[in-house]
Amino acid sequence: MDSTAEDGEGTGRRLRELRRARGLKQQDLASDDVSVSYISLIESGKRTPSAAVVALLAERLGCTTDYLLTGQDGTRTRELELKAAFADLSLHNGANGEALQAFSEVLASAPVLPEATVRRARLGQALALEQLGRLEAAVQALTLLYEDPECVAGSAEWSQLATALCRCHQALGDQVLSVEIGERALRRLDQLGLEATDDHIQLGAVLVGCYRTRGDLAKARLVADRLIRIADDRGGRTAQRETYCNAALVAQSQGRIDEALALAERARALLAESDHVRHHALLCGAYGTLLLCSDPGDPERAHQLLEQSHAQLVDVGTALEQASAQTGLALACLRLDRAAEAQQHASMALALLRDEPRRESVEARAVLAHAQFGAGESRQAQETLRAAAQQLRQLPPARSSAAAWRRIADIWQQYGYVAESTAAYQQALNDAGLPGRLTSTDRAGAY
């Protein structure tokens, strides 16, 4: 085949790829001077277009003639790579909608970009979807990248994808899959024998959070202890911060409040040298929650931290993160005997959660019911608490659901509802793997 024919095939292939990437049909490029059939012949490599036709097609496609003729467009490529870099910065600073738009614009011109830039934009687009709470779309995009043969196990991209998939499945309530992905990824890293990087340590830190959510606190603590040693020896500040933060949450779940506070304080100290607004907000919220759980506790300071966290998350956080901050503020207001404010914050949390059956919704309803009881709104409080129980029944049994049943039972008991509290305590035991000996039939007969 002569060089003219080769050039014609290359031009035709690039024309077809770019047209499809733009979502255009051949007739969209046609004009009085260029027929649909001629465009088809160009795309199939059977005709080599003249310079005038190339210029016309390039104008309609929004590319340069150099790209159609040679596949090279240095100026346009540099512009798009700069846009991708700015999109990365937007994502880092919490401007998730802006980042998503920029990454999508970059990907619209994927045919003119190097493969590395395209993959970087696809990853950024998926992470922006996650931050915007569009979790199903994020999982789909992340999975395609993670399972791509071009994704090398142990690489920074591979670790970031595994970490993001763990987070998304955890947020969607699939604790089994989130743990499975994290464990499989860590086993693969052990098999490869690679020295731990920041990305590897962050993957482990997310797995600790998945264990904690699932109620497997023993495993969570074992992995957290190991990660802290590795992060102290080899990890950067980001990895250390996330490791300390997750270890603090595990310690809190196990009732080791003083240790949790110390770990959270170490995370905050590391964050003081970082400019990541979202991480700062999340750590302020975690620290505020810990202060509410400590003995004797500091609800005033907790309220300040949670207010600061919420103010930042309004701009940079997901709906779930904003809802968690609102629930924390509601709990702080309860501790400060400000029932009306507690109701407002809990109601805002539920609005953000959109009534989906998830642990965070149950927690928000429990706090709202407590505030309603405190305000003398007994009937509304009973309805709210029963709605929380109904949602909790839709979730799989776990240590976290057992703890939620315990909170519901405590509220019923505090306000004198003995039968309801007894039933909720029994359900807490069931979800914790300690069911009563009597069946429901036996129990009915016993009474």
Side-chain angles (χ1 to χ4, degrees):
M1 184 182 291
D2 60 31
S3 61
T4 302
E6 290 177 359
D7 290 345
E9 282 192 0
T11 299
R13 186 186 68 255
R14 285 186 287 275
L15 173 63
R16 181 176 62 252
E17 290 174 351
L18 195 54
R19 173 179 62 76
R20 289 175 176 173
R22 297 284 194 271
L24 300 175
K25 298 179 180 179
Q26 290 178 340
Q27 52 261 43
D28 295 324
L29 301 182
S31 66
D32 293 338
D33 299 318
V34 184
S35 67
V36 173
S37 60
Y38 188 53
I39 291 171
S40 178
L41 289 171
I42 295 172
E43 290 188 354
S44 64
K46 296 177 180 178
R47 292 289 186 277
T48 300
S50 66
V53 170
V54 170
L56 177 63
L57 294 173
E59 181 181 357
R60 288 177 179 261
L61 288 167
C63 69
T64 64
T65 57
D66 282 345
Y67 173 73
L68 282 181
L69 291 171
T70 67
Q72 304 296 319
D73 185 1
T75 301
R76 178 60 175 159
T77 298
R78 287 193 297 274
E79 289 175 353
L80 290 167
E81 287 179 336
L82 180 60
K83 182 182 283 288
F86 279 124
D88 279 330
L89 289 172
S90 296
L91 186 62
H92 177 81
N93 291 324
N96 303 311
E98 182 180 321
L100 179 60
Q101 180 178 348
F103 283 127
S104 299
E105 291 172 359
V106 170
L107 289 171
S109 300
V112 308
L113 291 170
E115 180 60 25
T117 303
V118 174
R119 290 189 65 85
R120 170 184 165 195
R122 288 175 65 193
L123 174 59
Q125 184 184 55
L127 294 175
L129 287 168
E130 178 196 357
Q131 295 305 318
L132 289 167
R134 295 164 61 180
L135 297 175
E136 290 85 357
V139 166
Q140 184 177 10
L142 291 165
T143 302
L144 286 173
L145 285 168
Y146 190 55
E147 295 179 351
D148 190 326
E150 296 296 318
C151 185
V152 180
S155 66
E157 180 194 48
W158 179 86
S159 300
Q160 289 171 349
L161 287 166
T163 302
L165 280 169
C166 281
R167 284 196 307 262
C168 287
H169 285 298
Q170 180 187 24
L172 286 167
D174 194 339
Q175 309 307 330
V176 174
L177 187 53
S178 65
V179 167
E180 181 183 323
I181 292 171
E183 288 182 335
R184 190 189 310 130
L186 286 184
R187 281 197 303 270
R188 183 64 176 139
L189 289 173
D190 288 339
Q191 291 168 358
L192 292 170
L194 299 173
E195 183 174 348
T197 66
D198 266 16
D199 291 318
H200 298 166
I201 294 168
Q202 288 180 61
L203 170 60
V206 170
L207 179 58
V208 168
C210 294
Y211 281 139
R212 174 180 170 271
T213 301
R214 194 175 71 170
D216 197 343
L217 301 181
K219 270 190 178 179
R221 184 172 185 181
L222 283 173
V223 176
D225 288 344
R226 177 190 174 199
L227 285 173
I228 286 175
R229 290 193 298 272
I230 295 173
D232 283 341
D233 290 341
R234 286 173 272 180
R237 290 189 175 275
T238 300
Q240 289 178 352
R241 183 180 66 236
E242 294 199 10
T243 300
Y244 290 140
C245 185
N246 277 297
L249 292 171
V250 171
Q252 176 197 6
S253 297
Q254 294 183 323
R256 297 177 284 117
I257 302 302
D258 290 341
E259 182 181 343
L261 285 170
L263 289 165
E265 198 54 61
R266 291 175 74 179
R268 276 171 54 80
L270 287 167
L271 190 63
E273 300 178 26
S274 168
D275 64 346
H276 200 306
V277 177
R278 177 171 166 266
H279 281 170
H280 182 272
L282 292 175
L283 277 174
C284 282
Y287 192 30
T289 301
L290 289 170
L291 288 175
L292 288 173
C293 299
S294 59
D295 188 13
D298 190 348
E300 284 285 1
R301 175 63 176 147
H303 189 272
Q304 292 173 3
L305 287 167
L306 287 161
E307 271 195 326
Q308 179 183 348
S309 172
H310 177 257
Q312 293 172 322
L313 289 173
V314 166
D315 294 323
V316 302
T318 65
L320 179 60
E321 289 163 351
Q322 294 177 45
S324 295
Q326 290 281 15
T327 302
L329 279 167
L331 187 57
C333 287
L334 271 180
R335 299 287 172 83
L336 294 167
D337 294 324
R338 288 149 54 176
E341 287 182 52
Q343 287 191 58
Q344 291 176 1
H345 287 301
S347 297
M348 289 178 188
L350 288 170
L352 287 164
L353 293 166
R354 296 182 297 185
D355 206 35
E356 295 178 7
R358 58 190 312 149
R359 180 176 53 84
E360 292 82 4
S361 299
V362 173
E363 291 176 354
R365 277 195 164 80
V367 175
L368 176 59
H370 202 163
Q372 288 169 334
F373 273 127
E377 301 171 6
S378 177
R379 185 177 60 79
Q380 295 94 320
Q382 293 177 59
E383 291 175 358
T384 302
L385 214 48
R386 290 193 175 97
Q390 182 61 34
Q391 279 198 321
L392 196 48
R393 290 189 188 96
Q394 299 177 52
L395 302 178
R399 291 284 291 273
S400 58
S401 62
W405 279 114
R406 169 65 188 272
R407 283 192 289 276
I408 290 173
D410 287 345
I411 297 170
W412 282 125
Q413 184 182 55
Q414 181 176 346
Y415 292 97
Y417 294 85
V418 177
E420 289 84 352
S421 67
T422 301
Y425 282 130
Q426 182 60 57
Q427 191 62 54
L429 290 171
N430 291 343
D431 281 18
L434 298 169
R437 292 185 177 180
L438 297 179
T439 66
S440 57
T441 303
D442 292 335
R443 194 174 295 115
Y447 292 102

